[in-house]
Amino acid sequence: MFMMFAMTSDSVGEIIKEVKVAFDVTNAQASLMHSLPMLGIAMSGLLLGFLADRLGRKTTIIIGLSVFGLACYSFFIANNFVFIVSLMTLSGIAVGIFKTGALALIGDISSSTKQHTATMNGAEAFFGVGAIIGPLIVAWLIHKGVPWQYLYIIAGGICTFLIVVAVWVKYPVYTRNQDDSAEKVSVRQSLSLVKNPYALGFSTGAFLYVAAESAIYVWMPSYLVCDAASLRATYDCYAGGAAQTLAIYSVTAFFILRAAGRFVGIWMMSHFNWALVLMLFSGAIVVCFAGGLMGGKQVALYLFPLTGIFMSVIYPTFNSKGISCFPKHQHGSVAGVILFFTAAGAAAGPFIMGLVSDANGGDAKYGFMVATVFASLLFAGLLFNYLKNPTQRQLEKIEASEYGAA
């Protein structure tokens, strides 16, 4: 599921180039293909995340996958810009439904909070794989003269297979909280979680992380262009060879390193202090961003893609530890809250960076300055988390009550 979602979401940049030509839309209009699906995910996660706790994980996942599959297959008849953007928005709403169900399911199949974090890194690693192969499929389709919409037909086929698997696979027994004194599972309960310090803390971290991460795959190609005034993405200043190749495929290099780091993270988070790892890795991101700005394009060419390694384990761990601070009957709701802030960061981060860049002559360097501020705030929060460890007592409490640890 994670891979299928990434195949479509992280291919938007390639698709936008085709849609702008086909439908003669402006950059601002084309940006809706990114921002509206993110808004759909955000609102779906916040307002519908409780479904995983009320209806159960299996039912919620099947509903989300069914809506996503319907949207994908509908791309076959999408012949105007408004219809395309509407389908992308619908797919975002569907992602918010099935992803909160999947995130809650990870808690059900985990035997400890540490295993929960390792499993989450594994799931997000497949997201990283989808982020690599999705743009490659679009590029191959266009090269062969095949409409880019077939990416969604492929995703729809994968979705159909996943629905069949979800129907037949035996899920862990999920029991809703039957305590009459407990707050009913509802939209109101999901909204109330926003005020919880654990949910708010990890959600804020997710917002800052995604805002910084999006600078790489949204604005790095613009920053690495040699002539900022040129409409063509020329990389002549890298003197050919491996450096020029890396400049052209810098985003792909970033995604590869991020995916590889998440697979390594499965082992890493089972053997090391998660708070220490996140603090050190977030500091390394700040160093890479600052070094790439101070050293110029020739230095950024290497340091910016390198952040994929350091970014790899941060978001899955935020998701895991944030969810693990709550009992299992609330996992769907809290996953929805974190997903809301995640999508908000993905939508707001690039937009703010674009505004700052435009205000300074269109130079993407200024957008990366904003990204460096986001990364620095993230590091400050994770440094505090490592030194004070505010979640230790809560995680130990949940470990004992939900996973049977002494």
Side-chain angles (χ1 to χ4, degrees):
M1 286 187 287
F2 283 62
M3 185 187 74
M4 176 191 66
F5 161 45
M7 282 174 55
T8 56
S9 65
D10 285 11
S11 299
V12 169
E14 295 291 332
I15 294 172
I16 282 176
K17 294 189 299 184
E18 299 298 310
V19 170
K20 284 175 61 179
V21 174
F23 299 105
D24 191 26
V25 295
T26 65
N27 286 327
Q29 291 170 329
S31 69
L32 295 176
M33 298 174 66
H34 170 74
S35 59
L36 287 183
M38 290 299 106
L39 180 62
I41 294 173
M43 300 311 298
S44 178
L46 184 63
L47 301 179
L48 300 177
F50 73 93
L51 292 177
D53 298 327
R54 172 175 287 184
L55 303 179
R57 321 315 193 195
K58 184 172 186 174
T59 301
T60 302
I61 289 173
I62 292 174
I63 291 174
L65 287 176
S66 298
V67 176
F68 189 86
L70 175 64
C72 285
Y73 287 127
S74 296
F75 272 93
F76 193 75
I77 58 173
N79 56 6
N80 65 74
F81 180 72
V82 174
F83 192 14
I84 289 172
V85 173
S86 299
L87 290 176
M88 287 185 165
T89 305
L90 179 62
S91 68
I93 294 171
V95 168
I97 296 173
F98 75 67
K99 190 171 183 180
T100 50
L103 293 174
L105 179 62
I106 290 175
D108 295 344
I109 64 175
S110 300
S111 59
S112 68
T113 56
K114 181 172 287 190
Q115 187 191 44
H116 189 282
T117 302
T119 305
M120 190 72 74
N121 272 275
E124 291 289 351
F126 280 92
F127 181 94
V129 172
I132 296 169
I133 65 177
L136 292 178
I137 291 175
V138 173
W140 181 82
L141 290 173
I142 294 172
H143 177 69
K144 295 294 184 180
V146 179
W148 59 265
Q149 286 93 331
Y150 276 86
L151 170 71
Y152 283 87
I153 305 303
I154 294 170
I158 297 174
C159 188
T160 302
F161 170 75
L162 290 173
I163 292 172
V164 173
V165 172
V167 169
W168 290 102
V169 166
K170 183 178 181 180
Y171 280 49
V173 176
Y174 168 70
T175 304
R176 282 182 53 191
N177 186 29
Q178 301 298 324
D179 186 354
D180 292 335
S181 65
E183 194 172 11
K184 290 184 178 180
V185 177
S186 63
V187 174
R188 179 175 296 180
Q189 184 223 18
S190 296
L191 294 174
S192 70
L193 285 175
V194 176
K195 298 182 291 185
N196 182 284
Y198 300 113
L200 181 59
F202 284 107
S203 294
T204 302
F207 179 94
L208 292 171
Y209 162 75
V210 174
E213 179 199 48
S214 61
I216 295 293
Y217 59 82
V218 174
W219 293 116
M220 179 171 63
S222 298
Y223 179 67
L224 294 179
V225 169
C226 301
D227 182 4
S230 174
L231 296 177
R232 296 183 304 158
T234 56
Y235 300 95
D236 298 335
C237 58
Y238 299 108
Q244 188 176 46
T245 301
L246 179 58
I248 296 171
Y249 296 103
S250 56
V251 174
T252 301
F254 167 78
F255 282 141
I256 290 173
L257 291 175
R258 190 183 67 174
R262 284 177 176 172
F263 280 111
V264 175
I266 300 172
W267 170 82
M268 186 183 301
M269 289 303 167
S270 298
H271 292 82
F272 297 100
N273 181 345
W274 68 273
L276 175 61
V277 173
L278 263 57
M279 185 269 291
L280 292 176
F281 277 23
S282 63
I285 294 169
V286 175
V287 171
C288 288
F289 276 14
L293 288 171
M294 291 186 292
K297 302 178 191 298
Q298 282 74 15
V299 176
L301 173 65
Y302 299 97
L303 290 184
F304 284 180
L306 184 63
T307 59
I309 286 289
F310 305 119
M311 291 183 179
S312 60
V313 299
I314 294 179
Y315 180 70
T317 305
F318 274 152
N319 241 332
S320 170
K321 296 305 180 185
I323 293 171
S324 294
C325 282
F326 295 84
K328 291 184 178 181
H329 69 266
Q330 289 185 305
H331 278 191
S333 298
V334 71
V337 171
I338 296 174
L339 187 60
F340 169 81
F341 280 87
T342 299
F351 180 71
I352 295 171
M353 296 169 207
L355 288 179
V356 173
S357 295
D358 287 344
N360 291 274
D363 192 341
K365 175 180 69 175
Y366 295 96
F368 265 98
M369 291 180 180
V370 177
T372 304
V373 172
F374 285 136
S376 299
L377 291 173
L378 178 65
F379 171 70
L382 288 172
L383 177 61
F384 171 81
N385 179 69
Y386 172 67
L387 294 176
K388 299 298 184 180
N389 204 358
T391 61
Q392 180 180 10
R393 185 171 298 178
Q394 178 68 8
L395 288 172
E396 289 175 349
K397 176 184 174 182
I398 294 296
E399 186 86 38
S401 62
E402 297 290 323
Y403 300 99

